[in-house]
Amino acid sequence: MIAPRKDMPTAPDTEVTDARVALQRLATPEVQAYGAWRSFGSAAEAVRAVIGEIGEVVLARRIAVSVRNSDAALLLTISNRHLVALEGISLNASDTDAHDVVAAIGRALDCAKSLRFDIATRTSEMPSTARSWSWQALLEALEAPRKNAVAPGIFADVKALSVAWLEVETGEKTGPEAALRALHHMAKARGDFVGQVDQFRQDRSHLALFSMTEQMFAVEVSWQGNLLLAICEASTREDLLAMWRGLVAET
């Protein structure tokens, strides 16, 4: 009987773990195939799925993300588990960190509960000077939101109850043209007022309601420097006030 050698090198635990995970992936049936619609319990889960896709892509490619029953779409340029470019939303890459990217994806997928991932290009050329965001950084930003970020629920809640809305900082908007014109006029009037009153603090969080007609009223929500304007039906007034009271009580 030959005694086992005791001086044979062994792989580090991390390498063993990585190998085990890779083998498990190979043995697992593909349930998240490209070209198939994937359903989620919430928009937050949809955002997590997009970030998870970035962590899966090693070879350079562009991934198209479509939202069911919506014109919303994203085009992700990914290489070596890094997001190199994000198209379909307004984003200034020169001064954007991982938190900003996650927030932008969240806004683009607002209310999305079903997504489809497609490979747009398998050999996408990577810009040599492009800034990128690693999958790990994006995941950390998702799990530990920036303390100064807009309150996670209040803007989405107001949008869900509104006829039309306008985010002043980003310019994003939804609603009938006539209502949006009124919101743009409201934003301009507010900007003129703020510019003339030095004591007015733009970063002071507040909720303000303004009667328009017997059936409609305007809403102004300011939270940590971000402003949302909306038009809502009179029946939603109490719900909006209850949401705001709950938010203030938590902060």
Side-chain angles (χ1 to χ4, degrees):
M1 181 175 179
I2 301 175
R5 290 182 58 180
K6 296 183 179 180
D7 59 345
M8 293 182 66
T10 58
D13 291 341
T14 53
E15 293 184 12
V16 173
T17 300
D18 291 344
R20 184 182 299 115
V21 170
L23 289 172
Q24 288 174 343
R25 284 184 177 178
L26 288 173
T28 302
E30 182 61 56
V31 295
Q32 298 179 348
Y34 288 115
W37 287 104
R38 297 164 53 185
S39 298
F40 306 94
S42 66
E45 291 181 13
V47 173
R48 181 175 291 275
V50 171
I51 294 174
E53 178 65 23
I54 296 169
E56 293 290 332
V57 176
V58 178
L59 300 179
R61 62 179 57 173
R62 300 174 81 194
I63 303 295
V65 183
S66 304
V67 180
R68 189 189 290 273
N69 300 325
S70 173
D71 293 333
L74 297 175
L75 189 60
L76 315 174
T77 301
I78 310 170
S79 178
N80 194 27
R81 298 189 177 93
H82 280 65
L83 177 64
V84 178
L86 178 59
E87 301 171 60
I89 56 178
S90 177
L91 193 66
N92 183 0
S94 62
D95 59 356
T96 299
D97 62 16
H99 286 90
D100 296 324
V101 173
V102 171
I105 295 174
R107 288 193 300 269
L109 301 183
D110 186 26
C111 300
K113 293 187 179 181
S114 185
L115 302 179
R116 190 185 72 209
F117 294 79
D118 296 284
I119 299 177
T121 309
R122 287 186 180 274
T123 57
S124 180
E125 294 184 3
M126 298 294 107
S128 59
T129 59
R131 178 177 180 178
S132 65
W133 302 269
S134 71
W135 165 71
Q136 292 93 334
L138 295 172
L139 186 60
E140 289 173 4
L142 178 68
E143 295 179 343
R146 182 188 295 160
K147 292 183 179 179
N148 293 330
V150 174
I154 189 62
F155 275 25
D157 290 339
V158 173
K159 290 176 183 178
L161 293 175
S162 69
V163 175
W165 57 265
L166 167 67
E167 282 195 34
V168 175
E169 281 70 31
T170 65
E172 295 182 19
K173 57 189 177 182
T174 293
E177 190 61 34
L180 292 176
R181 283 198 299 269
L183 291 177
H184 279 291
H185 180 76
M186 182 178 173
K188 184 179 184 304
R190 184 185 186 279
D192 292 341
F193 173 74
V194 171
Q196 296 174 20
V197 183
D198 294 337
Q199 293 81 6
F200 190 92
R201 293 186 56 189
Q202 290 179 268
D203 61 345
R204 179 175 295 164
S205 300
H206 69 270
L207 170 72
L209 310 181
F210 307 94
S211 295
M212 298 177 66
T213 67
E214 189 173 333
Q215 294 80 26
M216 298 283 183
F217 64 94
V219 182
E220 178 180 291
V221 186
S222 176
W223 189 267
Q224 297 173 342
N226 295 271
L227 182 66
L228 174 70
L229 303 177
I231 296 176
C232 299
E233 295 180 349
S235 59
T236 64
R237 185 184 298 269
E238 291 304 318
D239 288 337
L240 284 170
L241 292 175
M243 290 174 186
W244 183 256
R245 285 193 292 266
L247 175 62
V248 173
E250 294 175 359
T251 57

